[in-house]
């Protein structure tokens, strides 16, 4: 078990390389930038039901692993419920997203979400400080990241503020944009600062199923078009956090499920359903494969082998069944068939196969 920054980093680089996530250039970069200095004390391990503090050998084991390290709880406020609000992300996800950027020498990159500063350091090692810009909304995280980056000899351009406003210097344009937090869309100001041909990569929040990764290219007309690929698990931008309305338990009603629940968790269907019902949040729990769903008006459901319980004004179970039938009528497209188009900061238009086959939201 590694017990030094160099030992932890060597183990991590070997792990990523064995998984085919590092080309020779990125392998040298990762080997040169230890993760450990960017992990503050205290730090936590994310367990299924809570965040657990890590110290000593457990801390080094976590740093050397392909797991996220939680670095902030409850936006830094004391006496909160212990919800993770910032982390040093899972290294394999970081490596994959950096590869998706397709960086070349001389590219200027904008990172949304400095957090601990680790990704900014990787980018600076790859491109040089002058070509790396990073925005962080949290003042404490931004200040801490700067201190750590300075201590490690990296001096990228840093800005503390809301990424929805873009980089603060007018006229700045970037060849690549990387989101290290999950987003509901690409902010208009950020899209405007991407050059035509720029690559835009980041996790897209989907209410139904796991988040996915957008790999977009800026078009001459100002839009960005590209594919959705794989799943991701990043913390959302603060502006993209879902606000919940309490569920009125007195409106509960029960019915039979009427069909197996497993198909509702398949990646192709969850992509389709999240485009058709963008305001609905749905997830499942193991081992009984219960499905849970919620909508902003307080509607909710729990579906299991014992049937369906629904609450609130909407019949979410009926909506999901209708969308499921539509999905099969469309040929049950697999996850790799989906793409997205973003214009002017609007919610992405999800499409199947080509941008002219848009999966439009249900009009309510």
């Amino acid at each position: 078990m590694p017990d030094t920054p160099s030992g932890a980093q060597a183990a991590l680089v070997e792990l990523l390389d064995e998984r085919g996530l590092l080309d020779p250039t990125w392998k040298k970069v990762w080997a040169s930038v230890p993760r450990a200095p960017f992990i503050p004390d205290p730090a936590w391990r994310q367990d299924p039901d809570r965040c657990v503090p890590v110290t000593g050998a457990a801390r080094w084991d976590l740093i050397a692993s392909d797991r996220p390290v939680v670095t902030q709880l409850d936006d830094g406020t004391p006496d909160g419920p212990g919800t993770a609000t910032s982390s040093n992300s899972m290294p394999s996800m970081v490596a994959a997203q950096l590869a998706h950027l397709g960086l070349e020498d001389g590219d200027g990159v904008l990172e949304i979400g400095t957090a601990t500063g680790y990704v900014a350091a990787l980018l600076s090692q790859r491109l040089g400080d002058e070509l790396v810009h990073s925005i962080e909304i949290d003042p404490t995280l931004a200040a801490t990241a700067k201190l750590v980056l300075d201590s490690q000899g990296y001096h990228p351009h840093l800005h503390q503020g809301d990424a929805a406003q873009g980089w603060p210097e007018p006229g700045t344009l970037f060849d690549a944009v990387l989101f290290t937090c999950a987003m509901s869309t690409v902010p208009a100001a950020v899209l405007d600062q991407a050059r035509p041909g720029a690559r835009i990569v980041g996790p897209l929040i989907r209410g139904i199923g796991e988040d996915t990764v957008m790999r977009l290219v800026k078009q001459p007309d100002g839009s960005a078009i590209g594919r959705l690929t794989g799943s991701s698990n990043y913390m959302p931008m603060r502006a993209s956090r879902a606000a919940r309305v309490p569920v009125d338990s007195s409106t509960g009603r029960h019915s039979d499920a009427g069909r197996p629940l497993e198909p509702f968790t398949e990646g192709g269907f969850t992509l389709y359903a999240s485009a058709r019902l963008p305001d609905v949040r749905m997830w499942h729990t193991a081992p009984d494969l219960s499905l849970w769903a919620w909508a902003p008006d307080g509607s909710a459901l729990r579906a299991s082998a014992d049937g369906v319980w629904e609450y609130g004004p909407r019949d979410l179970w009926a909506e999901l069944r209708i969308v499921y039938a539509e999905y099969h009528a469309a040929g049950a497209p697999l996850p790799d068939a989906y793409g997205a188009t973003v214009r002017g900061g609007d919610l992405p238009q999800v499409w199947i196969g080509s941008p002219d086959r848009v999966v439009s939201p249900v009009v309510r």
Side-chain angles (χ1 to χ4, degrees), residues 36 131 157 224 243 250 269 272 298 310 314 316 318:
L131 293 172
H157 302 277
S250 69
F269 170 68
Y272 186 90
E310 291 195 83
R314 289 173 64 173
L316 293 179

Side-chain angles (χ1 to χ4, degrees), residues 189-339:
V190 173
L191 188 58
D192 288 345
Q193 291 179 333
R195 299 181 190 276
R199 290 83 63 200
I200 302 171
V201 175
L204 173 66
I205 291 174
R206 294 196 293 126
I208 297 177
E210 295 182 328
D211 296 343
T212 190
V213 176
M214 291 199 301
R215 298 172 59 185
L216 309 177
V217 176
K218 176 72 174 289
Q219 304 298 307
D221 67 0
S223 66
I225 301 175
R227 291 285 179 173
L228 304 181
T229 178
S231 62
S232 66
N233 186 20
Y234 278 77
M235 294 175 191
M237 294 179 68
R238 294 189 181 183
S240 298
R241 293 176 183 173
R244 295 196 174 188
V245 174
V247 175
D248 183 357
S249 60
S250 69
T251 62
R253 51 204 184 271
H254 182 265
S255 63
D256 292 331
R259 66 172 65 244
L261 301 179
E262 287 86 347
F264 288 94
T265 67
E266 294 174 357
F269 170 68
T270 59
L271 276 163
Y272 186 90
S274 63
R276 290 288 281 154
L277 302 171
D279 63 332
V280 174
R281 304 288 179 265
M282 189 181 83
W283 63 99
H284 72 276
T285 54
D288 62 342
L289 194 62
S290 293
L291 296 180
W292 303 78
W294 168 89
D297 64 357
S299 298
L301 74 79
R302 176 184 180 272
S304 68
D306 298 326
V308 179
W309 278 97
E310 291 195 83
Y311 306 88
R314 289 173 64 173
D315 187 345
L316 293 179
W317 185 238
E319 292 182 35
L320 286 169
R321 291 174 67 179
I322 290 169
V323 170
Y324 185 74
E326 293 178 358
Y327 165 70
H328 275 274
L334 297 175
D336 61 4
Y338 291 84

Side-chain angles (χ1 to χ4, degrees), residues 115-165:
T116 65
Y118 185 50
V119 177
L122 292 168
L123 289 167
S124 291
Q125 181 71 27
R126 170 66 181 84
L127 298 170
D129 293 336
E130 283 300 312
L131 293 172
V132 178
H133 298 66
S134 185
I135 301 175
E136 172 57 53
I137 194 170
D138 187 292
T140 300
L141 293 179
T144 302
K146 185 179 187 311
L147 288 174
V148 178
L149 284 162
D150 285 346
S151 74
Q152 298 300 302
Y154 297 106
H155 307 285
H157 302 277
L158 302 175
H159 173 65
Q160 188 274 308
D162 187 349
Q165 307 303 316

